Amino acid sequence: MHEDPARGRVGECALEVYPPPIKATATCARYRAKGAPPPPPPPRAAGQPRGSGGRSRAPERAPSPERRAAHAAPPPPRSPLPREIDIDMDIDEFRRVLREVLSEELGVGRAEMGGRWEGGEIVLRPGKEGTAEKRIPLDVFFHKIVMLRDKLRVLEQKINAHEGLSDAEKVQLQAYITGCYGTLTTFNVLFARREDGFIGSGRDSD
């Protein structure tokens, strides 16, 4: 501020709105005394939201299908892929497990011999004098019976699944296998569980 001979005490506009020199007593609409509260905001129009500053907002447009898809609910997370199973076994163990799996799929498997036959034997005593008798341990004989049963079951399945055979041929071959089952029902007495033994046609089963 300084003294002007003609205008008195003059200075510059603090807001640089008006060019100098300006009388010290001059004021403008933007002048605010030091420490005075800020002027109230301009009145809002009806329906105008707060904080809009008096400016009208452009109407919002409906989101495009692409935008709606982008903001849609995220897809459910995918289940993790199964990890490779690390099998630590030698070739003999692998063969044993493979035999068990194939036995279950083919309907064959180990059968248990009845407890009263354990340690027993079959004695084949010839009728001709002077000839030696033949003794067969029952567990060995029973193992052969089970192998025969399993091979018949596999044969039965292969016949039923064979594409080159007609239905009539399958029925005829199945009748032969059922007859073999019926003939072998005599040995069902060796099985600990009767359901593991042979099942014939009914009339030839014991």
Side-chain angles (χ1 to χ4, degrees):
M1 301 291 290
H2 59 277
E3 293 291 339
D4 184 89
R7 307 181 64 179
R9 194 172 179 82
V10 296
E12 299 180 355
C13 178
L15 300 177
E16 300 181 355
V17 176
Y18 300 98
I22 301 175
K23 297 175 64 174
T25 57
T27 59
C28 67
R30 301 179 64 181
Y31 171 75
R32 184 176 62 176
K34 186 176 181 180
R44 293 184 294 108
Q48 181 181 354
R50 297 180 181 273
S52 61
R55 294 174 296 180
S56 59
R57 298 176 59 182
E60 296 183 357
R61 294 182 299 176
S64 62
E66 293 80 5
R67 188 177 183 86
R68 288 197 301 268
H71 289 80
R78 295 182 179 179
S79 58
L81 295 177
R83 296 182 179 180
E84 183 179 357
I85 301 176
D86 185 14
I87 302 178
D88 184 14
M89 62 175 66
D90 55 18
I91 186 63
D92 294 333
E93 181 70 11
F94 176 75
R95 287 175 177 172
R96 184 188 65 80
V97 174
L98 183 59
R99 283 195 298 269
E100 291 181 359
V101 173
L102 292 177
S103 296
E104 292 180 0
E105 292 296 325
L106 296 176
V108 299
R110 299 181 61 182
E112 184 180 354
M113 188 173 63
R116 62 174 175 157
W117 304 109
E118 294 180 359
E121 60 182 4
I122 294 179
V123 180
L124 302 178
R125 184 175 296 111
K128 185 178 180 180
E129 296 182 0
T131 56
E133 62 185 16
K134 176 71 173 178
R135 293 178 176 269
I136 304 173
L138 267 180
D139 57 343
V140 175
F141 181 77
F142 180 74
H143 177 67
K144 295 181 181 296
I145 293 295
V146 173
M147 289 180 60
L148 179 60
R149 180 204 64 175
D150 292 346
K151 286 180 171 56
L152 284 174
R153 288 181 178 180
V154 173
L155 178 60
E156 184 178 12
Q157 292 180 358
K158 288 185 176 295
I159 290 175
N160 292 332
H162 200 288
E163 298 180 355
L165 297 174
S166 64
D167 292 341
E169 291 171 331
K170 291 180 181 180
V171 170
Q172 184 179 11
L173 293 174
Q174 179 66 42
Y176 289 127
I177 295 177
T178 303
C180 294
Y181 285 151
T183 302
L184 295 170
T185 53
T186 302
F187 302 107
N188 284 348
V189 66
L190 298 174
F191 289 87
R193 296 179 301 180
R194 190 172 182 85
E195 59 268 20
D196 290 337
F198 300 95
I199 301 177
S201 59
R203 63 178 181 273
D204 50 6
S205 300
D206 61 355

